Amino acid sequence: MKVKTSFNKQSMKRIGNIYGKICSLENLQLADEKARKGKSWQYGVRIHDRSREQNLEDLHTSLLTRSYRTSAYTIFKVYEPKERDVYRLPYYPDRITHHAIMNVLERVFVSVFTGDTYSCIKKRGIHAAANAVKLALKDQPGTQYCLKLDITKFYPTIDHDILKELIRRKIKDADLLWLLDEIIDSAPGLPIGNYLSQYLANFYLTYFDHWLKEEIRVKYYFRYADDLVILSGSKAELHTILNSITRYLSENLKLSVKRNYQVFPVQCRGIDFVGYKFYHTHTLLRKSIKKNFARMMAASPNQQSAASYYGWAKHCNSNHLLKKLLHDQL
């Protein structure tokens, strides 16, 4: 399948000769340090530490000789915010390997992402996305209507052959392509829970992002993982864009738009996105987050939990909510 692209020549420049950097002992040691942050107590980390130097030497050799194979996954279900299967790999060698890859490849992936892409990108998380939406909404005539949609079973339905083709448009290092192929083919779609999956999923949609911005010329577009928001002054224009998106995703990426897509006036309903409800005049916390915040405060929270919710609240119009919760604590 031929995937539509619309990159400039610089962003399409293919990268080679980087596998040696990924395999180097220095990079594997750095990957080990990063992968264990906040997790030193975990069983897999403690087992690895019994033979840490030898393990890294062995991993170094297996990557150089292409004898590395992805370990068996442990699969379990989570039910919040929705039911889904989560795949977990052992700390050694797999999670270290994924970090080693991303130590080198992160800048390569980020270099081709559009500025409208958020999630799992440094300095482009939830609050950066929220700030960008609030800035766009200052143009009230141009943001009267919102198209909101997401992709049906995004991670599980990512097509391996298409993903590999897209990667080969950016990377030409044969050894690295072998390693990425080995990891990609280790599970159906892209397994939720893999550190590398987050970046590969973003990369899978990056040609689509460029197409929307450079060919369809959408002015106000925001994507957080597979949640998409497009703003316009015309409801009819958004329906036309929706039809184009549906066709592009189906024909180029074998993805489908969920049937619960919405085209609606912003001021009447607000935009429910990245944990907030956005209006032209103000921004509120999403109802479910507000309820969880109140329950947490009522249960005498620890300092870390409280700080997390206050972090959410300070990025929106929440003075009344905070006063009420603090009053209830007295």
Side-chain angles (χ1 to χ4, degrees):
M1 178 178 289
K2 192 74 171 176
V3 180
K4 281 186 181 179
T5 62
S6 55
F7 284 93
N8 60 42
K9 288 182 179 180
Q10 180 61 30
S11 61
M12 282 298 293
K13 184 179 178 181
R14 295 172 73 217
I15 306 297
N17 301 318
I18 54 175
Y19 191 65
K21 294 179 183 178
I22 291 171
C23 298
S24 72
L25 273 173
E26 293 80 8
N27 187 50
L28 295 179
Q29 289 162 356
L30 176 61
D32 187 13
E33 291 298 327
K34 287 186 175 181
R36 70 173 56 233
K37 280 185 179 176
K39 298 172 181 143
S40 296
W41 55 270
Q42 289 184 354
Y43 178 75
V45 180
R46 288 187 281 117
I47 292 294
H48 164 63
D49 281 346
R50 293 176 186 175
S51 308
R52 188 176 181 183
E53 289 186 12
Q54 187 60 54
N55 283 345
L56 294 179
E57 287 277 2
D58 291 345
L59 178 55
H60 172 65
T61 300
S62 71
L63 291 171
L64 287 177
T65 60
R66 289 197 184 189
S67 59
Y68 171 86
R69 296 293 180 272
T70 299
S71 305
Y73 288 92
T74 300
I75 305 172
F76 58 96
K77 285 191 180 293
V78 297
Y79 298 93
E80 291 293 336
K82 58 185 177 182
E83 183 178 337
R84 55 187 179 172
D85 289 330
V86 175
Y87 290 67
R88 182 168 56 202
L89 284 169
Y91 179 79
Y92 172 83
D94 304 276
R95 279 148 61 187
I96 295 173
T97 300
H98 288 209
H99 276 268
I101 293 169
M102 289 313 305
N103 283 347
V104 178
L105 273 195
E106 183 177 5
R107 64 175 180 80
V108 176
F109 284 148
V110 172
S111 71
V112 294
F113 294 157
T114 72
D116 318 279
T117 307
Y118 300 87
S119 174
C120 308
I121 305 171
K122 288 175 184 174
K123 298 183 180 180
R124 280 202 257 164
I126 286 170
H127 299 310
N131 290 338
V133 173
K134 286 188 278 189
L135 181 62
L137 288 172
K138 290 183 178 180
D139 174 15
Q140 291 200 28
T143 59
Q144 288 295 302
Y145 295 94
C146 174
L147 165 60
K148 189 174 184 298
L149 62 91
D150 59 357
I151 296 169
T152 304
K153 296 181 178 178
F154 176 48
Y155 275 75
T157 58
I158 286 176
D159 184 277
H160 288 187
D161 290 336
I162 294 174
L163 176 57
K164 291 175 187 178
E165 178 191 338
L166 294 174
I167 290 171
R168 280 159 173 77
R169 293 176 181 233
K170 189 61 185 172
I171 296 169
K172 61 182 178 181
D173 186 314
D175 290 321
L176 177 54
L177 290 171
W178 161 78
L179 179 59
L180 292 175
D181 287 354
E182 204 288 326
I183 294 170
I184 289 167
D185 288 335
S186 67
L190 282 178
I192 295 169
N194 268 7
Y195 178 58
L196 191 55
S197 291
Q198 306 168 60
Y199 292 89
L200 291 176
N202 253 344
F203 187 75
Y204 195 74
L205 289 177
T206 199
Y207 286 81
F208 165 75
D209 296 333
H210 281 271
W211 168 79
L212 264 180
K213 294 295 293 185
E214 295 159 21
E215 293 192 26
I216 305 302
R217 297 194 176 278
V218 171
K219 184 175 182 180
Y220 298 121
Y221 168 58
F222 313 93
R223 178 171 68 80
Y224 193 91
D226 64 322
D227 289 335
L228 282 65
V229 165
I230 298 174
L231 304 175
S232 172
S234 166
K235 191 174 183 179
E237 180 187 31
L238 290 180
H239 280 288
T240 300
I241 292 171
L242 172 62
N243 290 335
S244 297
I245 287 173
T246 301
R247 186 165 56 252
Y248 182 101
L249 292 176
S250 174
E251 292 177 357
N252 291 279
L253 299 175
K254 293 186 180 179
L255 298 173
S256 59
V257 173
K258 272 189 186 177
R259 293 183 180 180
N260 64 350
Y261 65 83
Q262 304 166 16
V263 177
F264 57 90
V266 171
Q267 203 52 42
C268 292
R269 294 174 51 182
I271 306 163
D272 191 339
F273 184 58
V274 296
Y276 296 99
K277 203 75 173 283
F278 298 93
Y279 297 86
H280 287 108
T281 54
H282 60 288
T283 303
L284 303 175
L285 270 180
R286 179 181 287 161
K287 194 172 183 180
S288 60
I289 293 176
K290 186 167 62 175
K291 285 183 177 180
N292 290 337
F293 190 4
R295 288 194 194 103
M296 184 271 300
M297 292 296 289
S300 299
N302 61 50
Q303 188 174 358
Q304 186 176 0
S305 298
S308 174
Y309 278 103
Y310 277 111
W312 281 89
K314 73 180 183 181
H315 285 85
C316 65
N317 302 99
S318 58
N319 286 343
H320 177 73
L321 171 66
L322 292 175
K323 284 179 182 178
K324 183 179 186 309
L325 292 176
L326 289 172
H327 180 269
D328 290 345
Q329 285 289 98
L330 298 176

